[in-house]
Amino acid sequence: MDQFTEAYKQTGPCCFSPNACFIAVAVDYCLVIHDTLSFKISYIEWALDSEYILCGLYKRPMIQAWSLTQPEWTCKIDEGPAGIAYARWSPNSRHILTTSDFQQISSSKFIVSNVGLFLIKGISFTQDGKYAAICTRRDCKDYINLLSCHTWEIMGVFAIDTLNLADIEWSPDDSVIVIWDSPLDYKVLIYSPDGRCLFKYQAYESGLGVKSDSWSPCGQFLAVGSYDQMLRVLNHLTWKTFAEFDAPLSSVRGSCCAAVFKVIVCCYFISLNSTRT
């Protein structure tokens, strides 16, 4: 599928630079140089109901959205000097969450509405899409903000015991939230939605810590990938280590229509006596 930018004014010849990074365009008596990298689309994401699609042009900075059921409907979000670092659909497919270059997150129901939070990294929605957990940092302290995805009002805020939070994720049954610290401090925390810390896990003290975490689809196990090239699996009842694997992986992901095959090597012995005539 071809991709096109908006029309640019041109009254004379145009020419690409040898490295294709720039294009020179003659406009009346002026020569305008455009950066071709700024023409490219940075991000594309479908809404969960497959009725809308958004396109992120972060370097412009601008977000555009279109409707497949209503071709005449379009949406354009321009954050101006604040810039856009990231954009995504909310679970109800009717809101667009944008993160500015100043780490400010906004909710857009096709009209930008600031919710006044400053995003570090990490936002996770419940499976039913009713609530969102958003990480914020104030006065050198990490916090979890629980928001209603219907009104985007803050339902609760609680501080967490991390030095510099890396990311968060709701469990598949939405009963707990897993939080892991930056690689400089090995710490995995299990919190209830009301702010109670249920368990702290630390495999070792010295060395880099957690790379990534991932819940099993049933929510009974939590896989923790660490910088010591080990994959540790915790159970959801005692939060103790259930299994350990030597897995030098860069990330831990749940299964996504993956096919796993087991290769069985069979050895056959042929008797020479049986082949003689």
Side-chain angles (χ1 to χ4, degrees), residues 158-172:
F158 55 89
I160 53 179
D161 184 22
T162 52
L163 294 178
N164 191 5
L165 181 147
D167 210 346
I168 62 173
E169 187 177 358
W170 284 92
S171 62

Side-chain angles (χ1 to χ4, degrees), residues 123-224:
I123 176 172
S124 181
F125 295 95
T126 56
Q127 297 297 317
D128 56 12
K130 293 183 179 180
Y131 302 99
I134 298 179
C135 309
T136 61
R137 187 174 181 85
R138 297 190 302 272
D139 300 327
C140 300
K141 184 68 177 177
D142 295 330
Y143 295 85
I144 297 297
N145 300 259
L146 299 182
L147 281 75
S148 168
C149 294
H150 177 66
T151 61
W152 294 107
E153 295 179 354
I154 298 179
M155 310 297 293
V157 180
F158 55 89
I160 53 179
D161 184 22
T162 52
L163 294 178
N164 191 5
L165 181 147
D167 210 346
I168 62 173
E169 187 177 358
W170 284 92
S171 62
D173 60 358
D174 300 332
S175 61
V176 296
I177 304 172
V178 61
I179 302 166
W180 58 98
D181 215 333
S182 70
L184 298 179
D185 186 23
Y186 197 116
K187 188 181 294 182
V188 178
L189 305 173
I190 307 296
Y191 275 85
S192 63
D194 60 3
R196 291 179 296 114
C197 183
L198 304 179
F199 187 74
K200 296 182 181 180
Y201 176 72
Q202 186 178 28
Y204 50 85
E205 295 183 359
S206 60
L208 295 177
V210 179
K211 281 187 176 181
S212 61
D213 290 7
S214 180
W215 289 99
S216 65
C218 63
Q220 296 181 357
F221 303 100
L222 175 65
V224 180

Side-chain angles (χ1 to χ4, degrees), residues 74-89:
T74 59
C75 167
K76 181 178 179 180
I77 302 173
D78 190 346
E79 294 287 6
I84 298 177
Y86 184 67
R88 63 173 295 176
W89 288 101

Side-chain angles (χ1 to χ4, degrees), residues 2 87 98 104 148 172 228:
D2 294 332
T98 63
Q104 186 171 11
S148 168
D228 65 345

Side-chain angles (χ1 to χ4, degrees), residues 27-63:
V27 181
D28 296 331
Y29 294 99
C30 298
L31 182 64
V32 181
I33 308 297
H34 293 285
D35 182 2
T36 57
L37 296 178
S38 64
F39 295 161
K40 295 182 179 180
I41 296 175
S42 305
Y43 184 70
I44 297 176
E45 182 182 14
W46 284 94
L48 293 180
D49 62 1
S50 300
E51 293 186 11
Y52 298 91
I53 187 171
L54 71 79
C55 172
L57 294 88
Y58 297 160
K59 293 186 178 181
R60 300 195 64 165
M62 184 175 62
I63 300 295

